[in-house]
Amino acid sequence: MSYPGYPPTGYPPFPGYPPAGQESSFPPPGQYPYSSGFPPVGGGAYPPAPSGGYPGSGGYPAPGGYPAPGGYPGAPQPGGAPSYPAVPPGQGFGAPPGGAGFSGYPQPSSQSYGGGPAQVPLPGGFPGGQIPSQYPGGQAPYPSQAAAMTQGSQGTIRPAANFDAMRDAEILRKAMKGFGTDEQAIVDIVANRSNDQRQKIKAAFKTMYGKDLIKDLKSELSGNMEELILALFMPATYYDAWSLRNAMKGAGTQERVLIEILCTRTNQEIREIVRCYQSEFGRDLEKDIRSDTSGHFERLLVSMCQGNREENQNVNHQLAQEDAQRLYQAGEGRLGTDESCFNMILATRSFPQLKATMEAYSRMANRDLLSSVGREFSGNVESGLKTILQCALNRPAFFAERLYYSMKGAGTDDSTLVRIVVTRSEIDLVQIKQIFSQMYQKTLGTMIASDTSGDYRRLLLAIVGQ
């Protein structure tokens, strides 16, 4: 049974979905993975595991699995064999050469999910050392770690070779001079330069012409195209700080922006954002969060602001079992919810450690931790906790889902579309594109092309490499 286009991790993590009037397109409770009662109580793994068992078989299919042609990964097939998406040719899936695991988690040949020896640290080169999680059974929906390492950056934008900041500044000046604007020349420059190179172009422009490039661009552009260009010319840390300030400025608060940034960034990124927020806006980020949010959601965001999550990439399986027990006793195993226990564990443990805890929880409780959070919490704190868990399972999949819902239905949430495409363009937009196709059976470029127009569409497609 397949659910085309349906988000893989139970009900979508953000309030307001499904959109009003579209509820009928979502499967009713009990008919998708992770609904109440899956896996069947007392029924063990889902689907039935062969004699060798599946990794993390207590909660199966794992939340990292997504709908694919023929049903979601691991859907029961005639004869009981699990079904996985076909591996695209030449993608180099599976364990890389040399015996290194794709994501640093136990490999079937040498370690077990039940508590094997400590794992080797992940190689660097990814944000926070995080490598996106695997599909159940050791398959990955995007190139293996070894392939990623040999390819270098997993962003769609890479530094241009033979870069000349003064030449680029001159091209931009000519594109904006006189009547009309040569938008194509602007697109060709900004979509093919790294953020660091754009900062150098900005400095060269001021040196050569005594003018501010950003002010000149603002006078020539408008609407979504202006927002996208300005985002591309902001230093990455400043753009995150600016987005947070914008989300809390004036009446109302855009809680989803706070969640998207504070619950997904690395310790170093968060600390730099906090410093930038203070230096650029003369404000204390934590104080602004306290004045704009409340209750358990406020406490979660304040915890995130500290940038103190553990970053040891080795997994302590004993601790994972203990944390799973604590979370069960703080939620499903009692009347009411001990919110502080959830906050403590989800705000402090490393992402690989949280992934192991989720696997231990599924085996112990016969229920997925994401669905337990959905039962125990609501509103913004539920969205925040689920975001942390989704990033532990598969960070690119979280951003793919956010991109999908920014364009699904009537209208487009252009700010979210711009923010994610820009902020992930030099980090993991390659993986986001690949898993987007796995989740929704359409490419990110196709969806952008049908939801946007003009120079705005042209620049977005150039960034995503379409």
Side-chain angles (χ1 to χ4, degrees), residues 65-80:
Y66 293 98
Y72 51 84
Q77 302 294 308

Side-chain angles (χ1 to χ4, degrees), residues 289-302:
I289 286 171
R290 288 186 186 280
S291 66
D292 266 61
T293 59
S294 61
H296 298 296
F297 181 54
E298 173 197 329
R299 287 166 213 159
L300 179 65
L301 292 186
V302 168

Side-chain angles (χ1 to χ4, degrees), residues 49 54 82 218 264 275 290 313 360:
Y54 292 103
K218 285 184 78 166
T264 66
R275 281 195 295 270
R290 288 186 186 280
Q313 301 300 295

